[in-house]
Amino acid sequence: MSVKPEDFFKNIISHCKEYGYIFQSSEIYDGLSAVYDYGQNGAELKKNIREYWWKAMVQLNENIVGIDAAIFMHPTVWKASGHVDAFNDPLIDNKDSKKRYRADVLIEEHVAKIEDKINKEVEKAAKRFENFDAAMFKSTNARVLEYQKKIDDINTRFKTALNENKLDEVRQIIIDCEIVCPISGSRNWTEVRQFNLMFSTAMGSVSEDASTIYLRPETAQGIFVNYLNVQKTGRMKLPFGIAQTGKAFRNEIVARQFIFRMREFEQMEMQFFVKPGTEMKHYEEWKQKRLAWHLSLGLGENNYKFHDHLKLAHYANAACDIEFNFPFGFKELEGIHSRTDFDLKQHEQFSGKKLQYFDIEQNESYVPYVVETSVGLDRLFLSILSASYKEEQLENGETRVVLNLPPALAPIKIAIFPLVKKDGLPNLAESIMNDLKFDYALSYDEKDTVGKRYRRHDAIGTPYCITVDHQSLEDKTVTVRSRDTMQQERISIDKLFTYFEDKVSMKSLLKKL
RNA sequence: GCGGAAGUAGCUCAAUUGGUAGAGCUCCAGCCUUCCAAGCUGGAGGUUGCGGGUUCGAGACCCGUCUUCCGCUCCA
């Protein structure tokens, strides 16, 4: 393909708009940044992807059930999850290098440097003395104590500043510590600003009585807070999973790359509850299962790779991403995390309710460990669309724009055309349509030459076109033209249903798993 | 928030040193009846992102403003 990568991505974005897949939100009012709407075809494709995921997770796994938790949740949920604190990053800019940093990271790195100094002192001393007692040395050596006092002072100040939301003080700490920008080397800092990464709104119609609640930044917490409800009412035994799809919201500073980063996006998550100690086995298992699910779409094995997290979040003991080869490079598509018992323990603590599982074999109760699979539906949509989008050079020199979507996911499965708009061909086409419409998403088109109609549906990604011609009136056969091969074959009208069944049904895709 | 780019018809783009907005495609109606986007006729569609200024006259020049896109940060 001779198209430059950045142009290729631009072409995909225009294609999405031109063919009713994705529109900018509120476009007639000049749009809203990082928010997009799904059009008539986009909504179908998205729904089909979601359905494929849901069936693969819930319907094909006896020990997984699905829920649909509300977007609004009790504010304490987000205290327990750590989002209230962790998602309030204080940011600071260096005026010379124009680089932005997280103020807390700058301070933490500074503290880490001092800790390094302590360690060096300890190492030096260890070489010097036999029977060296590190703990003793740390608690007595004057220089170490001085360093340690510095660290403690900084940490105390920083904690207080954050708790009291005093951003001036955070900046003052950076200045007092003489922290410099790693790029410019200068101490020319802006004031510290805080960016709310969670959207908040007010619940309660009377403003004085209203309380702040958040739009969920992830769907997972809706599963955790319902874990015991589902386990009890569903009589679930470990290991078991709870799946959920739904919107999540992040009030990011800016967002880029089309629907790859959006303020409002949809997640498809499954939290798998397991016996402590078995989590790594399940983690590995889900890595493979989820990769197999992606590969079943047939977009090319080389477009996927695992990316193991070296630096783990505080709640995880193993984590990786499945990355996809987007037009702008390999980027995260799905995350698989071993989240330990962190979330449930946090909710036990904040709610004061026991969230334990009674293991009848061991005759004891414990908080289960959790293995999470979390995929972005919009990202999945983009991965499928961008891998399917082709600008083909045909033998006759023409170009053809085609979406080679997995047939089972295509918004329209079959388009039906009368070859010409007379001689009763439209009637026959309509009657075929009326037979098939209960099983397949169809589209009828009688405008323009048939070649033009084929190309139009190539661009939408419709895998098959049925054309009714004069021969159809005589022998009750039609031509079926394939999007991918552009080949036609003649099929008897009464065999159409079975002809298409294994080609475009969700069932055929699920059977590959 | 900072830096850069850009806003003219549904889409892609024109409009000379400032002289009252035009083409192709799309769309709609009709003709033609044809198996891979290209036939014919007619038609619709724009307060040039918005507001102000300069000027006899602004799509163009100046100021402001809004929005989008790209980069920095964050992230599924």
Side-chain angles (χ1 to χ4, degrees):
Chain A
M1 200 157 312
S2 57
V3 191
K4 283 183 282 177
E6 59 268 31
D7 287 341
F8 184 66
F9 188 41
K10 272 189 184 154
N11 292 351
I12 290 173
I13 296 171
S14 325
H15 192 86
C16 280
K17 186 186 172 187
E18 188 174 356
Y19 290 95
Y21 273 90
I22 294 167
F23 307 124
Q24 173 111 53
S25 163
S26 319
E27 198 185 60
I28 62 169
Y29 291 104
D30 295 323
L32 187 62
S33 179
V35 185
Y36 292 89
D37 297 341
Y38 286 82
Q40 66 276 24
N41 290 318
E44 289 286 336
L45 175 57
K46 189 179 176 193
K47 174 184 71 69
N48 292 340
I49 298 170
R50 189 194 294 112
E51 185 186 340
Y52 179 46
W53 181 88
W54 186 269
K55 290 197 163 168
M57 298 305 268
V58 177
Q59 190 171 324
L60 298 192
N61 289 289
E62 224 180 306
N63 59 348
I64 297 179
V65 294
I67 65 166
D68 185 8
I71 289 170
F72 294 152
M73 301 177 83
H74 193 284
T76 312
V77 168
W78 305 112
K79 287 217 169 67
S81 71
H83 285 83
V84 170
D85 300 321
F87 273 72
N88 272 317
D89 299 333
L91 299 178
I92 189 166
D93 291 9
N94 183 273
K95 287 179 189 168
D96 298 313
S97 66
K98 307 278 183 205
K99 289 281 172 191
R100 165 166 300 165
Y101 301 92
R102 278 174 53 175
D104 55 325
V105 170
L106 282 179
I107 292 171
E108 276 163 21
E109 281 172 356
H110 181 71
V111 166
K113 273 187 198 162
I114 304 176
E115 276 167 356
D116 270 354
K117 286 183 184 169
I118 293 181
N119 289 335
K120 274 186 192 147
E121 289 291 335
V122 173
E123 273 171 39
K124 266 199 283 179
K127 281 181 194 161
R128 231 179 302 147
F129 303 108
E130 281 177 36
N131 299 330
F132 179 67
D133 183 342
M136 173 73 107
F137 180 77
K138 278 188 191 172
S139 61
T140 52
N141 180 279
R143 216 176 279 168
V144 170
L145 286 175
E146 197 183 310
Y147 286 140
Q148 191 58 49
K149 184 172 181 316
K150 256 192 197 171
I151 292 175
D152 293 343
D153 286 351
I154 294 170
N155 281 342
T156 316
R157 269 182 80 184
F158 184 50
K159 228 182 192 172
T160 322
L162 276 191
N163 285 342
E164 294 173 9
N165 219 1
K166 285 185 177 155
L167 297 178
D168 292 352
E169 170 68 0
V170 175
R171 177 166 187 266
Q172 199 54 49
I173 295 170
I174 288 173
I175 290 168
D176 291 349
C177 292
E178 302 182 339
I179 296 174
V180 299
C181 166
I183 307 251
S184 69
S186 85
R187 294 178 206 156
N188 193 6
W189 298 106
T190 63
E191 74 274 32
V192 175
R193 284 179 302 257
Q194 197 137 32
F195 291 86
N196 271 331
L197 295 192
M198 278 198 290
F199 282 92
S200 60
T201 187
M203 188 180 247
S205 52
V206 183
S207 54
E208 297 98 77
D209 299 340
S211 57
T212 299
I213 56 167
Y214 298 102
L215 271 58
R216 66 182 177 201
E218 63 170 28
T219 54
Q221 299 304 326
I223 293 177
F224 295 134
V225 300
N226 278 300
Y227 145 77
L228 205 57
N229 285 336
V230 173
Q231 191 271 318
K232 294 257 190 255
T233 59
R235 297 170 15 257
M236 308 303 287
K237 304 257 185 304
L238 288 189
F240 74 94
I242 302 177
Q244 172 169 229
T245 73
K247 289 281 181 82
F249 305 84
R250 291 194 190 169
N251 201 357
E252 292 168 290
I253 306 153
V254 287
R256 285 295 128 87
Q257 269 136 354
F258 198 38
I259 58 168
F260 186 77
R261 301 165 192 214
M262 292 196 289
R263 294 211 159 97
E264 174 179 341
F265 62 102
E266 187 158 347
Q267 293 184 309
M268 305 196 293
E269 292 195 317
M270 192 278 297
Q271 307 291 338
F272 203 64
F273 299 89
V274 305
K275 185 174 168 181
T278 67
E279 69 273 13
M280 290 316 289
K281 186 189 92 188
H282 288 107
Y283 171 73
E284 290 301 330
E285 222 172 272
W286 278 109
K287 271 175 80 167
Q288 297 313 320
K289 274 192 182 172
R290 290 306 304 150
L291 182 63
W293 185 89
H294 288 287
L295 294 181
S296 73
L297 296 173
L299 303 179
E301 216 166 306
N302 295 335
N303 281 329
Y304 299 88
K305 68 180 184 192
F306 281 115
H307 172 250
D308 291 310
H309 289 199
L310 300 174
K311 202 178 158 208
L312 296 172
H314 56 284
Y315 55 75
N317 64 1
C320 73
D321 299 332
I322 296 175
E323 293 190 337
F324 182 81
N325 188 15
F326 286 97
F328 39 86
F330 272 96
K331 289 278 156 72
E332 177 178 359
L333 178 64
E334 170 153 7
I336 297 156
H337 297 226
S338 174
R339 292 184 77 130
T340 70
D341 56 0
F342 176 81
D343 296 280
L344 290 180
K345 279 234 170 100
Q346 285 289 107
H347 286 303
E348 273 200 329
Q349 195 188 328
F350 278 78
S351 69
K353 307 275 189 334
K354 282 242 179 277
L355 298 178
Q356 301 197 339
Y357 174 81
F358 182 71
D359 189 325
I360 205 140
E361 282 170 25
Q362 304 207 184
N363 196 30
E364 61 167 341
S365 290
Y366 50 78
V367 176
Y369 270 43
V370 173
V371 174
E372 165 188 275
T373 74
S374 172
V375 60
L377 175 50
D378 310 276
R379 286 183 176 186
L380 200 46
F381 182 104
L382 184 58
S383 74
I384 291 169
L385 204 94
S386 56
S388 301
Y389 179 86
K390 308 263 167 56
E391 296 173 11
E392 286 180 353
Q393 199 74 33
L394 299 182
E395 283 171 14
N396 61 12
E398 287 181 347
T399 56
R400 176 173 86 129
V401 175
V402 57
L403 286 183
N404 294 113
L405 297 171
L409 302 183
I412 298 167
K413 302 289 187 274
I414 307 157
I416 302 182
F417 314 141
L419 184 60
V420 293
K421 208 175 7 178
K422 62 172 196 182
D423 301 335
L425 300 187
N427 288 345
L428 182 53
E430 272 169 41
S431 83
I432 293 172
M433 184 148 169
N434 284 331
D435 282 345
L436 293 177
K437 71 181 178 189
F438 301 102
D439 294 293
Y440 304 113
L442 304 177
S443 170
Y444 177 83
D445 196 353
E446 57 178 26
K447 175 99 173 119
D448 297 313
T449 64
V450 73
K452 215 166 183 178
R453 286 177 266 169
Y454 286 150
R455 296 302 182 80
R456 220 158 26 220
H457 277 278
D458 287 341
I460 294 170
T462 306
Y464 295 99
C465 296
I466 293 175
T467 301
V468 176
D469 57 15
H470 292 90
Q471 189 186 332
S472 309
L473 297 172
E474 291 159 20
D475 65 3
K476 299 290 170 205
T477 63
V478 290
T479 59
V480 173
R481 179 263 195 188
S482 148
R483 172 196 68 194
D484 299 343
T485 63
M486 293 173 73
Q487 299 296 310
Q488 300 180 34
E489 54 181 314
R490 261 203 117 76
I491 306 287
S492 176
I493 291 172
D494 53 18
K495 299 245 166 62
L496 283 172
F497 174 76
T498 39
Y499 176 84
F500 288 120
E501 195 180 14
D502 60 326
K503 290 187 169 65
V504 303
S505 71
M506 187 72 71
K507 189 173 163 184
S508 62
L509 200 51
L510 287 164
K511 278 188 169 172
K512 285 195 206 167
L513 292 172

